[in-house]
Amino acid sequence: MALQSKLFYIRTSFVLVRLSRKFLTKPVANQLSSSLQRVCISRPFFTSRVIMAAPGNRMCWDFTATDIAKRADQLIMKTKAVYDGVGDLKAENVTYKNVIQSLADNDCDYAVERNMLDFCQHVFPNKEMREASVEADKKLSEFDVETSMRQDVFKSLLAFQECNKGDLKPEAKRYLERQIKLGKRNGLHLSKDIQDKIKDIKKRMSDLCIDYNKNLNEENTILEFTEEELAGVAEDFVKNLEKTEAGKCKVTLKYPHYFPCMKKARNPETRKRLETAFNSRCLKENTAILEELVELRQKKADLLGFPTHSAFVLDMRMAKKPEAVKPFLADLAVKLKPLKEKEIKLFLEYKEEECKKYGYKFDGKINMWDMRYYMNMTEEKVYAVDHDKLKDYFPMDVVTKGLLEIYQELLSLKFEEIPGTKVWTEDVKLYSVKDSASGDLLGYFYLDLFPREGKYGHAAVFGLQPGCVKIADGSRQLAVAAMVANFTKPLPDKPSLLTFDEVETYFHEFGHVMHQLCAKAEFTMFSGTSVERDFVEAPSQMLENWCWDKEPLNRMSAHYKDKKSIPSDMLDSLVKSRKANAGVFNLRQILLGTFDQRIHTCAKADTAKVLSDLSKEILGIPATPDTNMSAAFGHLAGGYDAQYYGYLWSEVFSMDMFYSRFKKEGIMNPKVGQDYRKWILQPGGSIDAADMLKNFLGREPNEEAFLISKGLNTQEK
């Protein structure tokens, strides 16, 4: 899930033992099934293709819609039996094996099957399969709530903690303490009456979040424009748009259509129509859902003794409390406003000039539908960056090849595509990941990069199979992740040519893939990206810096026609443009983070009004009347509620890591890459993020590099 093309989606956790909705699960039928990669699509597979094995990949996709429902029921029965066994224990009989081992090994199996069944709703071409996945998700989410409220299991955990003082390994001790803390956050130490109220609230919230995201995934608005109304947009883009019988161009609200038009369509009425429609997606149904979620979240916080939902959430994050987040955002906004004022002044000069040139009425202000257009114009005029020409140097195959080579070299890994494996749709690719020194297999990743109807609409990494240890036999389960994106599709006469924003998104999201694959935590609960939510973006944000350095850029670019490198003057202009529009861009992030905090520190909210008021206050640009961007703000129903500030918060750490180690010691320095893999990626969530940072930096982190990156400090490091 994501905004500003920096997207990372993790579904809300509602379970005591469940990692996250992204880390779904599947029990192994037998050793053979766990060593085969299979796939579920809505039509027969091409039987002429050779099906290659992917040992250790437990994902399988060759089930039907009916199978999804059956497997969900089977998973519930199997998991309930485990919990019944733990819950039935008498205090004097609890042991590591019958409590910790039983729960942790179940976490591992549950995650695989759960993730697999849930993932279908986000990527399958067949609507029947997506709907079956949504229904299974609702049933399993209700079961998750029931599981998280098992007081008998909670008592067994407390009993085990009481009789095992100091006898556990650090990660096992962390697991036990986390389970008990989560139990208390579910009210298991409170009266039965309060527990029942919390359970009802959690079930309702779970259903609402699923419906909110389903509405977004299925959104399929199409606007029609004449070619004249799309003046300024690249000719090849317009030429390849689907046409109506009357010859009008069909424009969807998916990213590969929306952003090119908003950046280049010179007609303000065209941009206004698009922006109004874009920020009205799912307006009626999702506004109601979000506002009910706000009320339910506050009611749950009240029952648990927290002053606000934000306070409840941040109790488990690096920030710890809302009182730390509010000044962080407010102080940064004050520092950025002079930059923003300068940028808006320039936008207005450009707008007045354009209105005179083309005969449009000049209204003397920058509207929401003007923002991206004049941001793009600034990059073109001030920094001489022509994004239409630039994308010719970023064909998908060249970018992918270069990106994979850079990550392999930097992190001492080896990737290998596994051709012929069954996947959910034919353009998905599967790769294995090995340690380059030892040859050890770490896991697999899928790449699903192009848009299609009904698919998850942003860019995200889904953890499918957590890398963890099965305590019963000590074997390590391989990690499996999927990167899902909606990049520019190939055209009849051109390959897929990525915008630079898409290149940066690709690099960012693939950083999350590496976090999933390189983590070596023992417990599912701490696998992959299971770190504090306000740190989870830092590893990927840090790796975005490679998109702004000439050496990596040259390695992942070449003109799609003649394979020539990006001209040096174009490359210089691109690199210099990094701080372009820093005020407007970052104040918009502050606006969204502040909005998220504002609605989650009150009992109820008129989300459209709150967003409109804050937009005027922080950005100085009013929200378009009768829109409500928060109805399509997937983060708020996808696990980032009261946590959107984390994008900027974690950027403090990402910039400190980059400037202090990679920029000083070499951007492709394998020693620094190994340290990064060891201290930042490898622990997963088995230790606190603050300790990871101290281990990698050799000191406490600071914000100096972050301020430099925002253009707020003229003294370069």
Side-chain angles (χ1 to χ4, degrees):
M1 170 173 45
L3 266 290
Q4 303 297 341
S5 75
K6 314 272 195 300
L7 316 165
F8 175 63
Y9 180 58
I10 305 178
R11 305 279 309 266
T12 314
S13 286
F14 290 110
V15 218
L16 182 63
V17 297
R18 175 177 159 203
L19 180 57
S20 103
R21 194 160 297 206
K22 311 225 67 163
F23 296 66
L24 322 140
T25 41
K26 144 183 177 167
V28 193
N30 51 46
Q31 288 299 320
L32 177 62
S33 67
S34 69
S35 67
L36 295 177
Q37 168 58 24
R38 295 178 289 173
V39 111
C40 169
I41 54 178
S42 58
R43 58 185 183 282
F45 294 111
F46 297 100
T47 54
S48 60
R49 296 175 68 191
V50 177
I51 305 303
M52 303 296 290
N57 184 353
R58 297 170 61 184
M59 294 294 106
C60 92
W61 313 104
D62 56 356
F63 40 74
T64 66
T66 302
D67 292 335
I68 290 177
K70 289 179 180 178
R71 294 177 76 138
D73 290 339
Q74 291 168 357
L75 181 59
I76 288 171
M77 290 178 60
K78 177 177 180 287
T79 303
K80 185 177 183 300
V82 172
Y83 274 75
D84 287 346
V86 175
D88 287 343
L89 293 169
K90 294 182 179 179
E92 61 269 22
N93 295 330
V94 296
T95 66
Y96 184 86
K97 183 176 181 180
N98 62 25
V99 177
I100 303 301
Q101 179 178 313
S102 293
L103 292 175
D105 282 351
N106 180 75
D107 290 351
C108 180
D109 288 336
Y110 185 84
V112 180
E113 184 80 4
R114 178 73 163 90
N115 290 346
M116 188 168 58
L117 297 176
D118 177 86
F119 186 57
C120 299
Q121 68 186 279
H122 302 294
V123 296
F124 268 53
N126 182 274
K127 188 171 184 179
E128 183 185 8
M129 292 293 290
R130 295 197 304 271
E131 290 177 343
S133 175
V134 168
E135 291 308 309
D137 190 7
K138 288 185 175 182
K139 180 180 287 189
L140 286 164
S141 294
E142 184 168 332
F143 173 69
D144 292 340
V145 173
E146 295 286 348
T147 303
S148 71
M149 302 298 293
R150 290 285 297 258
Q151 193 168 40
D152 54 348
V153 174
F154 182 65
K155 287 180 178 178
S156 292
L157 287 162
L158 289 173
F160 178 76
Q161 184 183 50
E162 183 63 28
C163 65
N164 282 271
K165 305 287 187 181
D167 295 336
L168 299 176
K169 292 180 180 179
E171 191 172 333
K173 183 172 184 289
R174 185 179 178 87
Y175 177 81
L176 175 61
E177 291 172 347
R178 179 67 57 85
Q179 289 282 35
I180 290 173
K181 181 163 186 175
L182 290 174
K184 291 178 179 178
R185 286 170 63 82
N186 283 316
L188 297 183
H189 60 305
L190 302 174
S191 70
K192 182 69 166 54
D193 179 56
I194 292 178
Q195 288 180 40
D196 288 342
K197 290 178 181 178
I198 291 172
K199 184 189 297 185
D200 290 342
I201 289 172
K202 289 178 66 176
K203 286 181 177 180
R204 177 61 178 161
M205 290 194 303
S206 176
D207 282 347
L208 289 171
C209 287
I210 292 169
D211 288 341
Y212 183 105
N213 285 292
K214 179 189 176 186
N215 293 337
L216 280 180
N217 287 348
E218 300 293 338
E219 198 282 331
N220 59 0
T221 299
I222 294 176
L223 301 181
E224 297 176 3
F225 296 98
T226 64
E227 291 192 11
E228 184 181 2
E229 289 172 321
L230 294 174
V233 181
E235 284 185 23
D236 63 340
F237 176 88
V238 175
K239 182 180 72 174
N240 286 285
L241 288 173
E242 187 180 345
K243 304 299 190 295
T244 67
E245 289 184 4
K248 286 192 173 185
C249 302
K250 293 184 177 182
V251 178
T252 73
L253 299 179
K254 305 300 182 187
Y255 285 6
H257 277 192
Y258 179 74
F259 289 120
C261 291
M262 292 305 294
K263 289 179 178 180
K264 295 295 286 185
R266 75 167 67 109
N267 187 327
E269 286 303 314
T270 297
R271 298 196 305 271
K272 182 178 180 180
R273 277 184 64 197
L274 273 165
E275 188 271 334
T276 300
F278 187 77
N279 286 324
S280 300
R281 289 172 296 160
C282 308
L283 180 66
K284 183 178 179 180
E285 58 270 43
N286 277 3
T287 296
I289 287 174
L290 179 58
E291 292 179 359
E292 184 177 352
L293 281 170
V294 168
E295 293 185 35
L296 291 171
R297 287 164 177 166
Q298 182 58 45
K299 287 178 181 177
K300 183 160 78 81
D302 290 339
L303 291 169
L304 291 167
F306 287 89
T308 64
H309 177 65
S310 178
F312 169 76
V313 170
L314 298 187
D315 181 54
M316 296 283 283
R317 304 295 177 255
M318 291 185 79
K320 300 302 181 188
K321 53 187 178 180
E323 290 77 11
V325 173
K326 186 175 180 179
F328 169 74
L329 294 174
D331 292 349
L332 185 56
V334 170
K335 292 173 182 175
L336 285 165
K337 280 197 175 179
L339 286 179
K340 187 263 300 186
E341 297 298 337
K342 184 178 178 181
E343 291 160 5
I344 293 292
K345 182 180 178 183
L346 185 60
F347 292 175
L348 284 168
E349 290 175 8
Y350 290 154
K351 183 173 182 177
E352 185 173 17
E353 183 181 313
E354 279 238 316
C355 288
K356 287 178 181 177
K357 183 176 180 180
Y358 297 108
Y360 302 126
K361 182 182 177 181
F362 178 59
D363 60 5
K365 61 184 179 181
I366 296 299
N367 302 292
M368 201 61 77
W369 58 85
D370 295 322
M371 211 167 71
R372 292 186 189 276
Y373 182 73
Y374 291 107
M375 287 172 73
N376 185 72
M377 188 175 288
T378 297
E379 292 181 27
E380 291 180 347
K381 291 193 173 187
V382 176
Y383 296 94
V385 176
D386 187 331
H387 285 285
D388 285 337
K389 290 182 179 178
L390 189 62
K391 69 182 182 181
D392 289 346
Y393 292 90
F394 291 119
M396 173 66 84
D397 60 338
V398 174
V399 174
T400 299
K401 181 176 181 292
L403 178 148
L404 297 182
E405 288 175 352
I406 289 167
Y407 270 99
Q408 288 174 93
E409 181 179 329
L410 185 66
L411 299 177
S412 301
L413 299 170
K414 182 181 179 182
F415 305 153
E416 183 178 350
E417 184 180 351
I418 304 176
T421 53
K422 291 182 178 180
V423 286
W424 50 91
T425 192
E426 58 193 23
D427 60 356
V428 173
K429 294 182 178 179
L430 177 68
Y431 293 80
S432 64
V433 179
K434 295 180 180 179
D435 179 83
S436 59
S438 67
D440 291 344
L441 180 62
L442 303 180
Y444 302 90
F445 64 85
Y446 296 93
L447 295 180
D448 183 356
L449 303 178
F450 298 114
R452 58 183 174 271
E453 186 177 351
K455 181 183 173 183
Y456 173 73
H458 305 295
V461 170
F462 292 76
L464 298 175
Q465 180 171 301
C468 56
V469 173
K470 292 296 292 277
I471 300 175
D473 60 11
S475 63
R476 182 162 191 88
Q477 175 171 276
L478 301 177
V480 180
M483 178 180 164
V484 177
N486 289 272
F487 295 144
T488 302
K489 280 179 148 181
L491 300 174
D493 58 343
K494 286 184 179 180
S496 168
L497 298 175
L498 303 186
T499 65
F500 184 70
D501 282 348
E502 289 177 322
V503 173
E504 194 175 13
T505 294
Y506 200 167
F507 222 87
H508 173 99
E509 295 301 334
F510 198 79
H512 289 307
V513 173
M514 292 296 93
H515 203 166
Q516 295 282 5
L517 273 290
C518 292
K520 287 190 175 180
E522 294 186 3
F523 287 79
T524 298
M525 179 175 278
F526 306 125
S527 66
T529 56
S530 305
V531 298
E532 296 97 317
R533 185 60 55 84
D534 48 5
F535 179 72
V536 74
E537 297 297 332
S540 283
Q541 288 171 332
M542 198 278 295
L543 289 157
E544 288 176 32
N545 288 286
W546 274 249
C547 295
W548 296 97
D549 187 272
K550 292 180 182 179
E551 180 191 348
L553 277 171
N554 275 320
R555 291 178 63 172
M556 55 183 175
S557 62
H559 198 283
Y560 78 97
K561 288 182 178 178
D562 56 20
K563 308 301 180 187
K564 287 185 178 179
S565 299
I566 302 177
S568 58
D569 59 339
M570 187 181 288
L571 202 56
D572 289 339
S573 296
L574 175 63
V575 172
K576 289 176 183 176
S577 73
R578 185 171 193 182
K579 293 176 184 175
N581 306 306
V584 170
F585 177 86
N586 287 291
L587 277 168
R588 185 173 184 275
Q589 289 295 87
I590 290 170
L591 161 64
L592 297 177
T594 304
F595 168 77
D596 179 27
Q597 287 296 304
R598 183 72 58 87
I599 66 172
H600 288 120
T601 50
C602 58
K604 58 173 58 182
D606 180 339
T607 54
K609 184 177 187 306
V610 173
L611 187 60
S612 181
D613 291 346
L614 287 174
S615 187
K616 292 177 190 173
E617 175 189 330
I618 295 172
L619 198 56
I621 302 174
T624 303
D626 302 320
T627 66
N628 185 7
M629 173 266 172
S630 67
F633 192 0
H635 293 75
L636 301 187
Y640 272 77
D641 44 295
Q643 297 161 91
Y644 193 82
Y645 75 91
Y647 279 97
L648 284 168
W649 183 277
S650 60
E651 203 173 341
V652 172
F653 309 125
S654 74
M655 287 302 174
D656 198 2
M657 289 189 287
F658 176 72
Y659 274 72
S660 299
R661 295 293 311 271
F662 286 100
K663 191 170 182 180
K664 282 185 177 179
E665 300 175 47
I667 194 168
M668 293 303 299
N669 186 324
K671 169 63 169 64
V672 185
Q674 282 281 42
D675 283 351
Y676 181 73
R677 181 176 158 188
K678 176 181 179 181
W679 297 117
I680 301 297
L681 303 182
Q682 192 168 299
S686 63
I687 62 175
D688 290 346
D691 293 327
M692 297 182 214
L693 287 164
K694 281 185 281 187
N695 290 337
F696 180 68
L697 296 170
R699 57 165 172 77
E700 297 285 347
N702 63 59
E703 67 174 9
E704 183 181 352
F706 171 71
L707 295 175
I708 291 171
S709 74
K710 300 302 176 190
L712 298 175
N713 190 329
T714 57
Q715 184 179 1
E716 292 289 335
K717 263 184 152 181

